[in-house]
Amino acid sequence: MNVLEVKNLSVQYPGTEGASEIVKDISFTVEEGGITGIVGQSGSGKSTAMLAVMGLLDGRASVQYGQITVNGKAPAPGRNIAMIFQDSLSCLNPSVKIGRQITETVRTRKGCGRKEAAARAEELLETVGIRNPALRMRQYPFELSGGMRQRVVLAIALACEPDLIIADEPTTALDAVVQAQILQLLRRIVRETGTALLLVSHDMGVTAAMCRNVYVMHGGRIIEEGTAEDIFYDPSEEYTKQLLKDAKGGRLREKEKRNADDPESGEEALIRMTHVTKIFDADEGVRDVSLEIRKSEILALVGESGSGKTTAARILTGMLREDAGRLYYRGRIPQRGRRMDSFGGKVQMVFQDPYASLNPCLTVRQALSEALDAAVRLGGHDAGDADARVAGHPLSEQEKEERIRKILALTGLSYGDADRYPHAFSGGQRQRIGIARALITEPEVLVCDEAISSLDATTREQILELLFRVQRKIGFACLFISHDMHVVRRISDRIAVMYGGQIVETGRTKKVCSDPWHPYTKLLLEAVPEPDPVRAKKIKSGPVKEAAGTDQSDAAEACCPFAGRCGYALECCRRERPEQYAFGDRGVSCFLYSDEHSGRRSGAYRMTSQI
Amino acid sequence: MARYTCRRILTGLLSLFVLITVTFFLVRIIPGSPFQRGGVSESVVEAIEQEYGLNEPLFTQYLSYIGGVLHGDLGISYQDPAVRVTEVIARAWPVTASVGAAALIVSLILGTGLGILSAVSGRRSVKQVISAGGMIAAGIPGFAAAILLMLVFSVKLKLLPASGLLSPVHYILPVAALSLYPAAMVSRLVSSTLETELTKDYVLFARAKGLGRRQVIFTHALKNAYLPVINYIGPASASLLTGSFVVESIFTIPGLGREFVGSITNRDYTLILGLTVFMGAVVILVNLITDLLCAWLDPKTRRAYREERA
Amino acid sequence: MLKRIRQQWKTYMGGSRMAAAGCIVLAVWILLAVMVPLVSPWSYSAQDAQIRNQGVSLLHWFGTDRFGRDLFTRVWYGAGISLTVGIASALINGAIGVLYGAVSGFAGRHMDLILMRIADIISAIPSMLYVILLTLVMGAGIGSMILGLCVAGWIGMARMVRGEILKLKEMEYAYAARMEGIRPLRILLRHLLPNAAGTIIVNLIFLVPQAIFTEAFLSFLGVGIEAPAASLGTIIQEARSQMMLYPQQMVFPLLVLCVMLLALNMAGTAAEQKAGGRMETVRGREDR
């Protein structure tokens, strides 16, 4: 028995050059009590198709279909069909309290009174796993964490008591650990209420973890359909195969034998941060962070959003000033106020948003030669000196041209692109330009702040490979910041895991990933679903509790930041902060590894995972 | 928020003080004596100047003026020694404020209504008519509108009275002339912000959860769209409440604006000074209220305020 | 150069019927303002008691005023003065505003606070006062009028540019530029200001009608340009005493003024829609 039947759905938008067809004659069904997935890259028309099913497209779109029925009836939003969206912050009204946003739904659906609706709303919030619903109902959306907001959105969808919920990228905006929780919740809801779920996602892992039947969408068409096992183990279409390949990721590490595999960790640290603290009014900040980036290594800094990764990077590059702590560059302390200058352009950054990181008024050539000129002006490392200017002799036009040509070729752009403005490029190409701009000055340290996370899977792979290849070729040191464990484990030599503004674990990537010591690292590793239905369905959200609330800034001073969510939390975790315990080239900030808890051992004792 | 409020009030007071100082010296550097007119002898001028304390050093005059302001005294009119500046304000301001308040209400209602209509109307013609009307209303100067209204409605058609403020009917033309520009601005702001709000995800989500179109517009979108309007209407209401120079003098309304124009033609420096200070004070006060209101309307800052008090 | 102008034109005006209409009207107005006083058989200032207060005729297209001056010539002469005052003060105000706003936004912190408070104070005083003061010091004329409009007229522009610079300063490319070691002044001139160009140009266009408007209203109140020179405001003011008897003496200059302002506003609005909008509306305007 099918809940949703869609036959021959097409959507067109009138454009300046004739109508463009976004959705091309697609048909699909969702069976009762099950989870069906639609997977495809951004721009494949998934969201448009879903809005067309809901009947919520604006007047400009022209929709044709043979049949759209929910249990034999026409779809009525808020009655027999409900939808949840990707960004929970933007789909809750920022100036209306949570309670009101739920109760108005209940009242529209049932036509009941205020009191009854409020009671029902509390019940719903409990169903979606929110403790203390009475308090939450009085709060505004911004006061809730991302995971909690998505639960509220789900509660609103449930308030409609629909036969079918369409979930459009419900976990894309969330961190891996929270994503795992929400996915589990969705599964539980389907099981308990019998509501069917149509899960739309670009993430093969999420789709594999959740769905019984899968449709693959590309360019507005459904190109392949079948059970999850069929699609993931035996795809017939070339496109699906490519998607799967990108999702699994090529083997970057094996392709080139790393020079850093020999364990001589006595290598020179280019940049070292010791006990750096920076606190903002809001809680995002860093506390007592020590970090070093060694010559020609890729150090990954991984953690969920708000864990302080970006703050750490910005202190490192001199964009922000630390409240306390020291920063050494080649063993010296650069001038605090003019750190950017003292680096002499030898620290460069690739930013997350390729649309904001290029000056729209400059052509590629102009942007690159700006960087070159500045680098020449700075000359040596001491920009303050008057003779530094003499030291760096100005480049001739030919030399400049040559450098620009070389860097464009290196980053996979054509020389003809040099005279175009940024708006003429796609996101992936822009990111290449960003990398070219950062590398043309031949920096010693490159900081990549979530440099690939705004790109889609295929482009992401390309850029990742580019970065890796260039790094191996030139040998600059790289601080690679990401929230994605999968990416990080493939590209980095060493890894530092951040949580709540602290570094909870550091070590060689191979070791950390194969044998995580800190409970949070373990959680992170387990939370990411792989594009493999059997393995992905086993993802755990771990023994995690929902964080007590967003307001833990006072308590954070005195306890382990992870204590509130940790399944292994001890008495002392809530009382004091663990220091970093070092074991060889690994370090971990958890009481499980302290002398008192692991027992005193001799010098030859080899620490193993305690969890 | 409490600290923000205090700081905001303090800067307001400081601005007012600097305003008084600057205006005082500006008015004083105007060359020539205010009493110098044809047929008045040198000795008479000096005698009058002595009476007003104008022969004292400038700084002493300034100090005594500041002292007066602190006691709520803005001095005596140069034109008519029997009249205090505060009396002029007490007489003229209620008149101005009543016209200004009426214009404010009219422009808010008209502007909001047209703005919503333009944003939610599916027909392009409605949108175009409203935006064209708005551009004309905002484009022609207030005095031109006032004169044209007067020429059409009281000179040609003889429908409405052209001067004075005797009955409610007298209010129609000046209020219409005054509210034209703010109404156009409000309607433009409402329609543009509402249009952007309506494209946001929460509107889509509200529709997806089964709310009606009207409910989504009025209980959800409008709530978020109104903040820029308040930001505009604050300063605009300040200028409405302190009186329009032209509209008051065209329709001969005995309000602050006309007093100001009169004081300028008469070179009545204390009155100029006093009125400027008063208008400045109103503007600063209204801006203060607007800023605090905007901060209060944002749930984020409000929550911070509450927590501070707790 | 010509190519560049054409390109800029396309960016801000291209493809908009409103812009085209505004610019055509404006061109006609400028042409008339230049040509009419030159070729007209009548002088804008010579009085003739024989032909006082005449109606519209073939000889006098707009009639004559109470001193027997040909209104058609006078109105277009006045329109020329108004346009001159408007464009000149808009350019000066624009330059001051961009400079002030850029410095304030780029310097930030205390400097920004002090500069913006100074701007607040200056804008709190009615500009009438400045104009009176200047006319008393320099004599009533076009020069003192332009200067008077420039005392406080730049503040809206300064606020806007400051807001833009504050926003652009936080863009990632600005950080990238700082990291490359580019000097602050160069960052401001090459990376920030060009990206604020849209806002600046749109505001510059709107400054012209604003200045014309303020000038007209001051002249209308009797503060400003004095005889024999005349702007549209003064012509309207002169007709006021007999508006009940000879309304046409007022209607013609009024219409010429309104159409001129509308055309300028249309051009501005078109540019605004193209360039993506003024970031915030100017707080209030001098409409008193």
Side-chain angles (χ1 to χ4, degrees):
Chain A
M1 177 64 192
N2 289 331
V3 178
L4 178 71
E5 299 237 21
V6 175
K7 280 191 188 137
N8 307 98
L9 172 70
S10 301
V11 180
Q12 291 182 327
Y13 273 96
T16 42
E17 294 143 22
S20 59
E21 206 169 21
I22 306 294
V23 178
K24 294 166 188 162
D25 192 25
I26 62 169
S27 305
F28 57 93
T29 59
V30 178
E31 62 183 53
E32 202 173 340
I35 304 178
T36 302
I38 294 185
V39 70
Q41 289 193 329
S42 55
S44 61
K46 320 179 291 270
S47 296
T48 312
M50 293 309 112
L51 288 175
V53 170
M54 294 288 287
L56 290 177
L57 281 178
D58 59 18
R60 290 186 306 123
S62 73
V63 183
Q64 288 115 27
Y65 56 88
Q67 182 196 4
I68 299 179
T69 51
V70 180
N71 279 339
K73 282 175 253 156
R79 304 212 147 260
N80 56 16
I81 188 166
M83 187 161 176
I84 62 181
F85 298 93
Q86 169 177 351
D87 186 356
S88 58
L89 187 61
S90 68
C91 68
L92 293 173
N93 189 336
S95 56
V96 176
K97 286 179 186 165
I98 299 291
R100 186 60 217 287
Q101 303 200 39
I102 307 176
T103 53
E104 72 180 355
T105 321
V106 176
R107 293 181 66 190
T108 320
R109 175 73 167 104
K110 294 182 151 183
C112 61
R114 256 169 229 281
K115 275 213 179 117
E116 205 182 315
R120 172 81 180 126
E122 288 194 20
E123 201 181 301
L124 284 166
L125 283 178
E126 275 182 9
T127 314
V128 295
I130 288 184
R131 286 175 301 156
N132 203 352
L135 166 74
R136 299 297 173 210
M137 297 213 351
R138 285 196 304 274
Q139 289 183 316
Y140 287 97
F142 72 90
E143 293 175 273
L144 270 54
S145 67
M148 238 191 290
R149 275 197 303 264
Q150 199 57 286
R151 285 167 195 265
V152 170
V153 170
L154 190 59
I156 292 175
L158 288 175
C160 302
E161 295 173 16
D163 302 326
L164 170 73
I165 295 177
I166 299 177
D168 187 0
E169 307 267 10
T171 57
T172 307
L174 302 172
D175 294 305
V177 177
V178 185
Q179 161 168 304
Q181 291 169 3
I182 296 289
L183 292 181
Q184 256 183 353
L185 172 68
L186 282 171
R187 256 191 240 142
R188 203 189 80 216
I189 297 275
V190 170
R191 202 170 55 233
E192 286 174 8
T193 62
T195 315
L197 184 72
L198 177 56
L199 183 82
V200 180
S201 180
H202 72 281
D203 188 327
M204 296 300 269
V206 168
T207 311
M210 298 288 288
C211 304
R212 200 185 301 165
N213 295 311
V214 177
Y215 294 86
V216 182
M217 237 180 128
H218 176 55
R221 291 179 207 284
I222 287 181
I223 55 162
E224 190 167 3
E225 58 180 281
T227 62
E229 284 75 15
D230 286 346
I231 300 281
F232 284 92
Y233 296 138
D234 185 24
S236 52
E237 292 290 321
E238 214 33 60
Y239 179 73
T240 316
K241 284 178 192 160
Q242 181 63 37
L243 269 187
L244 273 169
K245 207 180 124 212
D246 289 337
K248 282 179 184 145
R251 303 241 167 251
L252 291 175
R253 306 208 59 193
E254 266 71 37
K255 214 156 43 182
E256 289 169 56
K257 197 67 200 149
R258 346 200 27 125
N259 48 358
D261 247 5
D262 45 329
E264 39 117 13
S265 48
E267 267 198 82
E268 179 190 0
L270 266 178
I271 291 192
R272 197 147 57 90
M273 285 165 100
T274 50
H275 307 290
V276 164
T277 297
K278 167 94 192 170
I279 314 258
F280 296 111
D281 292 344
D283 33 18
E284 184 170 344
V286 295
R287 250 173 246 273
D288 196 19
V289 164
S290 301
L291 199 68
E292 62 175 44
I293 305 173
R294 298 170 195 160
K295 224 171 177 174
S296 55
E297 72 163 355
I298 300 182
L299 170 67
L301 194 57
V302 65
E304 60 189 27
S305 56
S307 60
K309 304 174 303 235
T310 300
T311 308
R314 295 200 161 194
I315 290 172
L316 196 132
T317 54
M319 267 194 231
L320 284 174
R321 254 193 245 180
E322 67 276 8
D323 296 338
R326 280 267 156 75
L327 189 130
Y328 300 88
Y329 172 59
R330 293 176 164 272
R332 284 181 301 164
I333 302 175
Q335 260 179 297
R336 256 170 74 92
R338 314 185 48 204
R339 188 173 296 156
M340 275 192 194
D341 286 349
S342 3
F343 287 149
K346 289 295 179 196
V347 177
Q348 291 293 330
M349 193 156 171
V350 179
F351 295 88
Q352 169 171 13
D353 182 0
Y355 289 86
S357 55
L358 295 174
N359 186 345
C361 289
L362 298 182
T363 61
V364 174
R365 185 196 307 281
Q366 281 168 330
L368 292 176
S369 65
E370 278 275 301
L372 266 181
D373 288 343
V376 169
R377 184 179 72 83
L378 289 170
H381 301 303
D382 305 314
D385 291 2
D387 24 271
R389 239 167 266 186
V390 189
H393 65 98
L395 293 172
S396 69
E397 283 304 309
Q398 283 96 337
E399 280 177 292
K400 257 194 336 198
E401 254 338 271
E402 195 44 46
R403 299 261 302 256
I404 290 172
R405 185 193 296 274
K406 248 165 74 186
I407 200 79
L408 284 177
L410 187 67
T411 48
L413 293 158
S414 76
Y415 185 63
D417 290 337
D419 287 314
R420 292 161 76 195
Y421 285 94
H423 63 78
F425 296 94
S426 69
Q429 281 173 312
R430 278 162 175 252
Q431 208 58 312
R432 285 174 195 269
I433 301 171
I435 294 170
R437 187 199 54 73
L439 290 181
I440 197 165
T441 58
E442 294 170 359
E444 289 170 337
V445 181
L446 183 72
V447 179
C448 301
D449 185 5
E450 298 272 13
I452 57 167
S453 52
S454 65
L455 307 170
D456 59 31
T458 311
T459 328
R460 183 181 302 190
E461 279 308 309
Q462 291 166 356
I463 299 293
L464 196 65
E465 227 194 277
L466 168 71
L467 265 176
F468 188 75
R469 184 168 49 80
V470 172
Q471 196 271 341
R472 284 292 171 254
K473 193 167 169 192
I474 303 179
F476 51 83
C478 178
L479 178 67
F480 189 88
I481 298 173
S482 177
H483 65 277
D484 191 334
M485 233 8 193
H486 270 347
V487 167
V488 157
R489 84 198 296 176
R490 282 162 50 210
I491 195 173
S492 65
D493 302 308
R494 283 194 314 130
I495 200 167
V497 183
M498 268 192 107
Y499 184 84
Q502 290 180 32
I503 291 185
V504 294
E505 184 164 2
T506 57
R508 296 225 156 264
T509 304
K510 247 187 198 160
K511 291 186 187 160
V512 172
C513 289
S514 56
D515 176 31
W517 285 5
H518 195 281
Y520 178 66
T521 316
K522 190 172 154 76
L523 201 62
L524 256 189
L525 279 166
E526 284 171 352
V528 187
E530 284 176 64
D532 178 328
V534 174
R535 273 156 70 182
K537 286 206 166 85
K538 287 189 202 137
I539 56 155
K540 285 178 273 184
S541 52
V544 193
K545 303 164 199 160
E546 179 73 27
T550 47
D551 44 7
Q552 35 171 243
S553 42
D554 294 334
E557 199 71 66
C559 68
C560 169
F562 192 56
R565 290 170 69 179
C566 182
Y568 304 93
L570 304 162
E571 199 51 20
C572 56
C573 296
R574 294 181 212 289
R575 280 200 318 267
E576 51 189 316
R577 254 171 359 115
E579 54 184 296
Q580 175 133 21
Y581 305 102
F583 304 97
D585 58 354
R586 285 188 84 158
V588 58
S589 299
C590 180
F591 282 118
L592 291 173
Y593 301 89
S594 65
D595 289 349
E596 301 93 80
H597 294 91
S598 62
R600 185 63 216 153
R601 55 260 161 183
S602 59
Y605 181 81
R606 280 185 64 114
M607 179 54 88
T608 51
S609 179
Q610 302 290 307
I611 50 177
Chain B
M1 182 81 180
R3 263 182 63 200
Y4 171 74
T5 314
C6 283
R7 229 184 37 215
R8 201 61 195 67
I9 291 173
L10 277 180
T11 45
L13 286 177
L14 188 71
S15 316
L16 189 59
F17 169 73
V18 178
L19 174 69
I20 294 173
T21 311
V22 172
T23 323
F24 180 88
F25 288 106
L26 271 185
V27 168
R28 285 300 137 92
I29 55 168
I30 293 176
S33 163
F35 306 105
Q36 200 119 46
R37 244 167 246 136
V40 183
S41 76
E42 207 57 31
S43 58
V44 175
V45 169
E46 250 167 54
I48 305 177
E49 282 194 345
Q50 189 133 25
E51 206 183 305
Y52 281 95
L54 287 179
N55 53 346
E56 282 175 53
L58 199 55
F59 198 67
T60 324
Q61 292 181 37
Y62 170 66
L63 284 185
S64 71
Y65 188 77
I66 291 284
V69 171
L70 287 179
H71 290 100
D73 177 15
L74 294 172
I76 301 164
S77 164
Y78 283 174
Q79 274 306 301
D80 184 353
V83 178
R84 310 195 72 79
V85 172
T86 40
E87 285 168 13
V88 175
I89 293 175
R91 175 158 40 85
W93 195 47
V95 179
T96 291
S98 68
V99 180
L104 192 62
I105 293 167
V106 168
S107 51
L108 268 182
I109 293 174
L110 202 68
T112 313
L114 289 174
I116 294 174
L117 192 65
S118 153
V120 303
S121 166
R123 270 189 293 179
R124 264 190 78 188
S125 56
V126 174
K127 240 175 234 187
Q128 279 171 339
V129 166
I130 292 177
S131 80
M135 204 163 69
I136 292 173
I140 57 175
F143 75 93
I147 292 170
L148 286 175
L149 282 172
M150 190 164 160
L151 283 176
V152 173
F153 288 100
S154 40
V155 177
K156 274 274 167 237
L157 301 174
K158 302 210 185 324
L159 278 176
L160 296 166
S163 64
L165 267 190
L166 298 169
S167 66
V169 185
H170 285 84
Y171 275 87
I172 295 177
L173 284 184
V175 167
L178 275 178
S179 49
L180 214 52
Y181 180 75
M185 290 307 290
V186 170
S187 119
R188 201 162 91 181
L189 279 175
V190 169
S191 83
S192 71
T193 49
L194 194 58
E195 249 169 60
T196 38
E197 286 300 318
L198 285 177
T199 61
K200 288 200 176 157
D201 276 356
Y202 73 83
V203 169
L204 199 60
F205 186 58
R207 300 271 291 135
K209 69 190 191 186
L211 299 192
R213 196 171 145 76
R214 193 162 299 187
Q215 201 178 352
V216 173
I217 292 167
F218 283 97
T219 64
H220 282 276
L222 208 54
K223 212 170 175 172
N224 292 312
Y226 226 74
L227 212 64
V229 177
I230 291 173
N231 240 328
Y232 162 74
I233 207 74
S237 69
S239 77
L240 281 176
L241 291 178
T242 51
S244 152
F245 297 159
V246 264
V247 171
E248 286 189 3
S249 67
I250 287 171
F251 292 106
T252 49
I253 296 165
L256 281 183
R258 212 163 75 105
E259 290 292 346
F260 192 84
V261 176
S263 70
I264 286 202
T265 21
N266 293 332
R267 302 272 150 85
D268 189 343
Y269 294 149
T270 30
L271 196 51
I272 297 178
L273 187 54
L275 288 174
T276 309
V277 169
F278 178 74
M279 290 172 182
V282 173
V283 170
I284 287 169
L285 186 72
V286 173
N287 283 349
L288 175 69
I289 293 172
T290 313
D291 282 358
L292 293 182
L293 191 68
C294 284
W296 179 251
L297 282 176
D298 182 356
K300 277 188 195 173
T301 48
R302 184 172 8 157
R303 191 46 51 99
Y305 190 41
R306 284 228 182 101
E307 271 161 18
E308 235 168 71
R309 272 193 315 188
Chain C
M1 186 65 196
L2 212 67
K3 197 179 148 199
R4 232 192 136 133
I5 289 175
R6 199 175 298 155
Q7 193 188 343
Q8 292 290 323
W9 177 263
K10 232 172 146 182
T11 321
Y12 293 107
M13 297 289 165
S16 162
R17 253 184 300 171
M18 186 156 62
C23 291
I24 289 170
V25 171
L26 210 59
V28 171
W29 251 234
I30 292 173
L31 199 71
L32 281 169
V34 174
M35 295 307 291
V36 169
L38 284 180
V39 302
S40 165
W42 312 98
S43 145
Y44 69 89
S45 56
Q47 306 185 357
D48 185 351
Q50 301 285 306
I51 48 166
R52 287 196 300 189
N53 294 326
Q54 287 200 345
V56 177
S57 66
L58 268 180
L59 223 54
H60 303 285
W61 291 359
F62 286 179
T64 58
D65 69 0
R66 64 182 150 143
F67 297 114
R69 293 174 291 200
D70 177 52
L71 259 182
F72 188 73
T73 319
R74 224 172 133 64
V75 162
W76 289 112
Y77 168 77
I81 299 286
S82 289
L83 273 170
T84 315
V85 170
I87 292 171
S89 63
L91 288 179
I92 299 174
N93 279 331
I96 302 175
V98 170
L99 203 70
Y100 196 93
V103 168
S104 179
F106 195 65
R109 290 167 180 267
H110 300 298
M111 182 83 162
D112 182 33
L113 195 78
I114 293 167
L115 287 179
M116 283 341 272
R117 285 292 89 76
I118 292 175
D120 284 349
I121 304 277
I122 295 176
S123 67
I125 299 170
S127 67
M128 217 172 162
L129 218 57
Y130 300 126
V131 177
I132 295 164
L133 219 84
L134 280 160
T135 46
L136 285 174
V137 176
M138 298 174 47
I142 297 176
S144 53
M145 181 51 109
I146 292 175
L147 271 186
L149 292 179
C150 291
V151 178
W154 49 270
I155 287 169
M157 176 68 111
R159 286 190 180 133
M160 209 81 63
V161 172
R162 167 184 172 265
E164 275 293 283
I165 295 292
L166 279 182
K167 201 182 72 192
L168 294 173
K169 214 167 68 168
E170 299 300 317
M171 295 293 281
E172 287 176 349
Y173 60 77
Y175 280 121
R178 277 173 63 195
M179 232 176 283
E180 282 161 11
I182 298 171
R183 273 169 295 188
L185 189 66
R186 191 169 169 84
I187 292 183
L188 180 64
L189 292 180
R190 193 151 163 88
H191 293 261
L192 302 184
L193 277 181
N195 284 300
T199 319
I200 292 173
I201 287 179
V202 169
N203 275 288
L204 198 62
I205 299 176
F206 276 111
L207 274 179
V208 180
Q210 229 164 303
I212 292 179
F213 165 82
T214 313
E215 183 277 325
F217 129 84
L218 288 172
S219 297
F220 176 73
L221 288 176
V223 194
I225 293 164
E226 277 183 5
S231 75
L232 287 172
T234 38
I235 299 172
I236 296 166
Q237 150 74 11
E238 281 165 7
R240 213 178 137 195
S241 55
Q242 351 183 43
M243 70 182 273
M244 294 291 172
L245 289 170
Y246 307 107
Q248 86 274 4
Q249 291 183 10
M250 203 165 202
V251 171
F252 286 120
L254 260 181
L255 286 182
V256 169
L257 176 68
C258 287
V259 171
M260 181 158 82
L261 290 177
L262 272 183
L264 282 162
N265 272 318
M266 276 160 84
T269 311
E272 186 181 343
Q273 284 167 359
K274 273 271 185 178
R278 280 185 283 183
M279 295 311 139
E280 53 184 77
T281 42
V282 195
R283 276 202 156 190
R285 73 169 181 177
E286 192 97 19
D287 186 13
R288 324 193 52 164

